[in-house]
């Protein structure tokens, strides 16, 4: 697990404050493409039924993103199927990048928490759920 992945998982597990962790992820010369792809993969893997983007946890995550609900990434996530939404998010102008990463990080935090509280509550083989 690289440093970025560790930070993402610490945020998801409330071992690092969301806003502080987000600031760390976005400081200096972060790669939007790499961070976007990592979060996209994490979100896909945190949803038990990989096609269930209408799950309660996923929808709750989208509806509780700590940004204005009128921001473009949130409108996209609420208006389009997952596949189309992620394609559109990746194609937004650079000035939307931080809002996109904020949205995806929040979604992962909520969906991974749901997974840890249900599917993984009696233990699992996910080494990233065993962070110090």
């Amino acid at each position: 697990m690289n440093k970025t992945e560790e930070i993402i998982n610490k945020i998801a597990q409330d071992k690092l404050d969301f806003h502080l962790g987000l600031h760390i992820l976005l400081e200096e010369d972060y790669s939007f493409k790499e961070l976007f792809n990592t979060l996209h993969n994490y979100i896909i893997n945190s949803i038990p039924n990989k096609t269930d983007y209408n799950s309660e946890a996923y929808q709750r995550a989208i509806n509780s993103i700590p940004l204005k609900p009128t921001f473009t990434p949130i409108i996209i996530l609420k208006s389009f199927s997952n596949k189309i939404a992620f394609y559109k998010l990746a194609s937004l102008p650079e000035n939307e990048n931080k809002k996109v990463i904020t949205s995806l990080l929040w979604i992962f935090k909520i969906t991974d928490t749901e997974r840890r509280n249900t599917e993984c509550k009696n233990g699992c083989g996910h080494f990233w759920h065993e962070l110090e």
Side-chain angles (χ1 to χ4, degrees):
M1 178 180 328
N2 66 33
K3 180 182 175 186
T4 298
E5 293 170 329
E6 184 176 346
I7 291 168
I8 291 168
N9 280 286
K10 283 184 176 182
I11 293 166
Q13 296 174 38
D14 289 327
K15 295 177 179 177
L16 179 60
D17 175 74
F18 179 83
H19 295 289
L20 175 60
L22 179 63
H23 176 74
I24 293 168
L25 290 171
L26 296 177
E27 67 187 1
E28 298 178 27
D29 295 329
Y30 80 98
S31 167
F32 172 76
K33 184 177 180 178
E34 287 178 28
L35 191 50
F36 179 90
N37 288 336
T38 299
L39 286 166
H40 182 220
N41 289 334
Y42 274 30
I43 290 167
I44 289 169
N45 287 314
S46 69
I47 298 171
N49 179 350
K50 305 303 179 223
T51 59
D52 190 11
Y53 289 98
N54 291 317
S55 73
E56 185 178 320
Y58 186 75
Q59 293 304 314
R60 186 173 59 249
I62 290 172
N63 290 323
S64 63
I65 294 169
L67 294 172
K68 289 183 181 180
T70 56
F71 282 170
T72 302
I74 297 172
I75 297 297
I76 290 171
L77 286 162
K78 288 181 176 181
S79 301
F80 296 95
S81 69
N82 183 58
K83 186 175 182 178
I84 293 170
F86 275 87
Y87 175 78
K88 287 182 175 288
L89 291 174
S91 303
L92 287 174
E94 188 176 330
N95 66 340
E96 296 286 341
N97 286 357
K98 290 183 179 185
K99 292 179 229 169
V100 169
I101 296 302
T102 301
S103 299
L104 298 184
L105 183 60
W106 186 262
I107 290 169
F108 176 65
K109 176 180 173 43
I110 301 301
T111 57
D112 189 61
T113 297
E114 177 76 13
R115 181 183 192 190
R116 282 183 282 106
N117 291 337
T118 56
E119 184 179 315
C120 300
K121 72 178 177 183
N122 295 320
C124 63
H126 304 124
F127 68 89
W128 55 91
H129 286 165
E130 304 300 324
L131 295 174
E132 293 295 324

